[in-house]
């Protein structure tokens, strides 16, 4: 499976879901604001598969392992710039079908060098809360790896870069709407939003304050990242 950032749409007996997948060096990470998963890519590029080895559920802002979830495999085929996969898991009520669509990374800023004590490479949950009296927020996932950011949620993809050393980090991010949010995310919906941020980090996660430029509007928000797994 080719490394990259993908939108994934999943159909099962328990309904429809959407999120993002990051494929990197034979491993896969993904999910949305409600779930996170990790595993590895198996098979050849033309006949790929996912072996999912861990699933977490977001309960009140805190991702926790789902008890009793066994390893499961989705297998499929290349479909243009993406993949179609299918399999079975009791977690989703039996039969599962997934469609992955590659997302462009052309606007991603180049990764930045960090210090030896920089923020840990890993998959992080993201929770944001708007400031300045705006009653809005969101949750999603970010993969931080050697100065680059990839991630997203059910409607948005994140492309960014950061540098970190001595417990402080800063960077930039492009928030891109991969699926129309239909007014569910009115602040960022329909726009490609540039974001600059800075803050602090430790072994468990990071916090920061960010400023987003949505059209002509400048929006401040606070962000909390919690490490779900190191890579």
């Amino acid at each position: 499976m080719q490394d990259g950032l993908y939108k994934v749409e999943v159909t099962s007996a328990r309904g429809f879901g959407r999120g993002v997948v990051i494929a990197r060096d034979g491993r896969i990470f993904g999910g949305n604001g409600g779930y996170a998963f990790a595993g590895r890519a198996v098979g050849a590029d033309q006949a790929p598969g996912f072996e999912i080895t861990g699933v977490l559920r977001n309960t009140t802002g805190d991702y926790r392992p789902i008890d009793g979830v066994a390893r499961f495999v989705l297998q499929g085929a290349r479909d243009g710039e993406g993949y179609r996969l299918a399999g079975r898991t009791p977690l989703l009520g039996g039969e599962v079908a997934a469609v992955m669509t590659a997302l462009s990374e052309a606007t991603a800023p180049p990764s930045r060098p960090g210090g030896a004590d920089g923020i840990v490479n890993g998959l992080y949950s993201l929770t944001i809360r708007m400031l300045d009296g705006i009653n809005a927020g969101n949750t999603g996932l970010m993969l931080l790896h050697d100065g680059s950011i990839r991630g997203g949620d059910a409607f948005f993809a994140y492309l960014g870069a950061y540098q970190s050393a001595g417990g402080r980090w800063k960077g930039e991010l492009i928030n891109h709407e991969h699926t129309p949010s239909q007014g569910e995310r009115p602040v960022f919906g329909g726009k490609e939003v540039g974001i600059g941020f800075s803050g602090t980090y430790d072994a468990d996660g990071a916090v920061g304050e960010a400023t987003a430029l949505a059209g002509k509007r400048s929006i401040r928000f606070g962000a909390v990242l919690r490490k779900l797994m190191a890579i």
Side-chain angles (χ1 to χ4, degrees), residues 1 21-23 26-30 37-41 50-52:
M1 179 169 290
V21 170
I22 306 103
R27 300 182 68 183
I28 56 169
F29 307 89
F37 62 83
R40 65 188 185 99
F50 279 2
E51 182 180 54
I52 306 298

Side-chain angles (χ1 to χ4, degrees), residues 101-128:
T101 305
L103 299 175
S104 173
E105 300 179 61
T107 60
S111 60
R112 300 181 181 183
D117 61 346
I119 192 168
V120 175
N121 286 342
L123 182 66
Y124 290 77
S125 65
L126 169 69
T127 302
I128 67 172

Side-chain angles (χ1 to χ4, degrees), residues 6-12 15-21 83 85 96-101 154 178-179:
Y6 298 83
K7 176 176 75 171
V8 61
E9 296 177 308
V10 178
T11 304
S12 73
F16 174 82
R18 184 189 300 110
V20 295
V21 170
Y83 303 91
L85 304 161
V96 179
V99 178
M100 291 174 56
T101 305
H178 63 66
T179 299

